[in-house]
């Protein structure tokens, strides 16, 4: 019996509630090098746009563009409505050549004097791009502007920031994230599926995992190394899960096999489902697979699992599913 390490990929997702992005800035569109980012207020031009192949390049986190500052104390502001009735999750990616303190603020207008609530502070060190994120439980009042304030430590010179995101946080929300995967297996193979489960809402949850399949047996679950199918989570907590199972014997080569894992929560108001697809291999089938046609079929789904036309995508997050002779692969991507 051969043992293979796999990780689930979300091909189908079902839910009544998703965190919704209310602001996304990747600095990719219509900006000009060494000018203030479009839509942002920065009267002293201490924040500018950078482009990948310029002398001041520190590279972007994604795409070609980013925003940067080389001053000791700098502000920039953008209009985006934040409600006191909603809870938010804030994140951005940043890199510096020294140490910068970066503050995110909310306020009534595009100036430091009009900033009212400090949302969160992070310390950006020299090195690779790092993501900084914070869940903010209370917005004190309705605000119209987001402010970014960067303060350099002694000797620091350059700070780049990219991919700024604000999400509304649902009361109950759950995110299941796979690591990596493979989909061609021998019958009788034992596999270990790995994935992270995160409570992305603002209420405590108790999650139960239930497998549905006719192709696997000897199914066992662990949560952070402990055996079990049910576990509690608190907001912002991520747990690492595994599902060990054996692909049944006497399956014909080429058979398409599946296993659904359903995630339900104690309030009966939220579900997630991830599906593993496996094509049965045989012990001598490697060369045959290598010689098959490399044709691919690509499908795109939104986060509710609905198939969409890839030529007519609106801005948002999607799942691309590719079927080829080598198996099935999926990936998440963002349409700007």
């Amino acid at each position: 019996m051969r043992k293979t390490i796999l990780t689930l990929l979300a091909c189908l997702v079902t839910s009544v509630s998703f965190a919704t992005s209310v602001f996304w800035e990747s600095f990719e569109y219509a900006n000009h090098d060494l000018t203030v980012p479009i839509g942002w207020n920065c009267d002293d031009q201490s924040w500018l746009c950078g482009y990948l192949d310029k002398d001041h390049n520190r590279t972007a986190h994604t795409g070609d563009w980013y925003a940067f500052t080389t001053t000791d104390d700098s502000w920039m502001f953008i209009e985006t409505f934040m409600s006191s009735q909603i809870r938010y999750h804030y994140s951005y990616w940043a890199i510096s050549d020294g140490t910068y303190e970066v503050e995110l603020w909310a306020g009534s207008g595009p100036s430091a004097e009009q900033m009212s609530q400090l949302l969160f502070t992070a310390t950006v060190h020299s090195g690779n791009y790092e993501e900084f994120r914070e869940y903010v439980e209370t917005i004190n009042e309705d605000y119209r502007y987001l402010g970014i304030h960067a303060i350099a430590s002694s000797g620091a010179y350059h700070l780049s920031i990219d991919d700024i995101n604000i999400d509304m946080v649902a009361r109950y929300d759950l995110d299941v994230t796979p690591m990596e995967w493979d989909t061609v297996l021998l019958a009788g193979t034992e596999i270990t599926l790995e994935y992270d489960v995160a409570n992305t809402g603002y209420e405590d949850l108790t999650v139960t995992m239930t497998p549905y399949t006719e192709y696997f047996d000897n199914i066992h679950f662990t949560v952070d190394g402990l055996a079990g199918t049910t576990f509690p989570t608190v907001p912002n907590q991520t747990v690492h899960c595994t599902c060990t199972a054996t692909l049944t014997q006497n399956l014909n080569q080429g058979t398409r096999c599946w296993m659904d894992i359903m995630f339900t929560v104690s309030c009966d108001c939220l579900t997630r489902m991830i599906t593993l697809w496996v094509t049965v291999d045989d012990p001598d089938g490697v060369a045959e697979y290598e010689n098959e046609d490399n044709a691919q079929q690509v499908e795109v789904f939104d986060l509710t699992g609905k198939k969409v036309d890839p030529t007519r995508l609106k801005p948002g997050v999607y799942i691309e599913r590719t079927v080829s002779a080598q198996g099935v692969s999926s990936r998440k991507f963002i349409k700007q």
Side-chain angles (χ1 to χ4, degrees):
M1 179 181 294
R2 184 176 63 182
K3 185 175 181 179
T4 303
I5 301 297
L6 296 180
T7 302
L8 289 176
L9 191 65
C11 293
L12 293 176
V13 182
T14 305
S15 171
V16 298
S17 174
F18 276 96
T20 302
S21 179
V22 295
F23 178 79
W24 172 263
E25 174 64 273
S26 60
F27 305 101
E28 293 297 317
Y29 301 103
N31 285 300
H32 298 281
D33 197 50
L34 297 180
T35 61
V36 174
I38 288 178
W40 291 82
N41 296 87
C42 183
D43 292 340
D44 62 0
Q45 295 190 336
S46 58
W47 281 94
L48 300 172
C49 272
Y51 184 67
L52 183 65
D53 61 359
K54 300 298 182 180
D55 292 340
H56 55 74
N57 170 47
R58 295 299 188 278
T59 74
H61 176 248
T62 58
D64 297 329
W65 292 84
Y66 57 96
F68 74 95
T69 182
T70 56
T71 58
D72 292 339
D73 192 313
S74 57
W75 283 90
M76 66 175 175
F77 312 91
I78 194 166
E79 187 169 12
T80 181
F81 180 74
M82 288 168 278
S83 169
S84 61
Q85 303 302 309
I86 298 174
R87 302 179 184 189
Y88 295 94
H89 182 268
Y90 298 82
S91 66
Y92 62 89
W93 291 80
I95 185 174
S96 75
D97 64 349
T99 301
Y100 271 84
E101 296 296 321
V102 179
E103 302 172 342
L104 263 62
W105 287 79
S108 59
S111 69
E113 293 75 18
Q114 292 172 290
M115 292 290 104
S116 303
Q117 181 177 346
L118 177 61
L119 302 171
F120 81 99
T121 301
T123 303
V124 182
H125 298 288
S126 177
N128 297 322
Y129 264 100
E130 183 177 355
E131 185 180 24
F132 300 89
R133 52 174 60 230
E134 186 72 24
Y135 161 68
V136 178
E137 183 172 354
T138 302
I139 298 296
N140 296 334
E141 58 185 273
D142 292 348
Y143 296 116
R144 288 185 55 217
Y145 280 86
L146 173 73
I148 296 180
H149 185 205
I151 308 160
S153 64
S154 177
Y157 173 71
H158 193 288
L159 168 74
S160 294
I161 192 168
D162 202 2
D163 293 346
I164 306 166
N165 191 38
I166 305 175
D167 287 331
M168 290 190 297
V169 181
R171 182 177 184 183
Y172 301 109
D173 209 353
L174 199 66
D175 187 30
V176 183
T177 305
M179 307 300 113
E180 51 186 296
W181 68 299
D182 186 4
T183 57
V184 180
L185 297 175
L186 293 173
T189 295
E190 182 185 88
I191 62 175
T192 299
L193 316 169
E194 298 187 55
Y195 47 93
D196 286 337
V197 180
N199 182 347
T200 54
Y202 60 83
E203 293 284 355
D204 294 354
L205 296 174
T206 298
V207 182
T208 299
M209 302 178 290
T210 306
Y212 297 91
T213 183
E214 59 188 75
Y215 299 101
F216 293 86
D217 52 26
N218 299 320
I219 301 171
H220 302 282
F221 290 90
T222 69
V223 180
D224 284 341
L226 300 176
T229 59
T230 300
F231 57 93
T233 68
V234 298
N236 288 328
Q237 181 186 18
T238 298
V239 298
H240 185 70
C241 301
T242 66
C243 174
T244 301
T246 302
L247 189 61
T248 56
Q249 297 281 2
N250 303 319
L251 292 172
N252 294 327
Q253 180 189 4
T255 301
R256 295 287 292 143
C257 306
W258 54 268
M259 176 163 56
D260 293 337
I261 297 181
M262 185 69 72
F263 301 81
T264 56
V265 299
S266 49
C267 63
D268 293 327
C269 60
L270 176 68
T271 61
R272 293 285 186 269
M273 186 179 76
I274 49 180
T275 302
L276 170 71
W277 292 94
V278 171
T279 301
V280 179
D281 199 0
D282 73 351
D284 302 315
V286 175
E288 181 177 343
Y289 276 102
E290 290 177 348
N291 291 330
E292 287 181 356
D293 186 9
N294 289 323
Q296 294 183 342
Q297 176 185 355
V298 178
E299 298 174 319
V300 177
F301 300 85
D302 63 22
L303 288 182
T304 68
K306 180 181 177 182
K307 186 176 178 180
V308 295
D309 185 344
T311 66
R312 298 181 179 179
L313 297 183
K314 298 178 180 179
V317 181
Y318 297 89
I319 297 171
E320 180 185 84
R321 182 171 180 264
T322 302
V323 182
S324 69
Q326 285 70 43
V328 181
S329 64
S330 299
R331 67 179 184 93
K332 282 185 179 181
F333 69 94
I334 297 172
K335 167 67 176 178
Q336 305 289 352

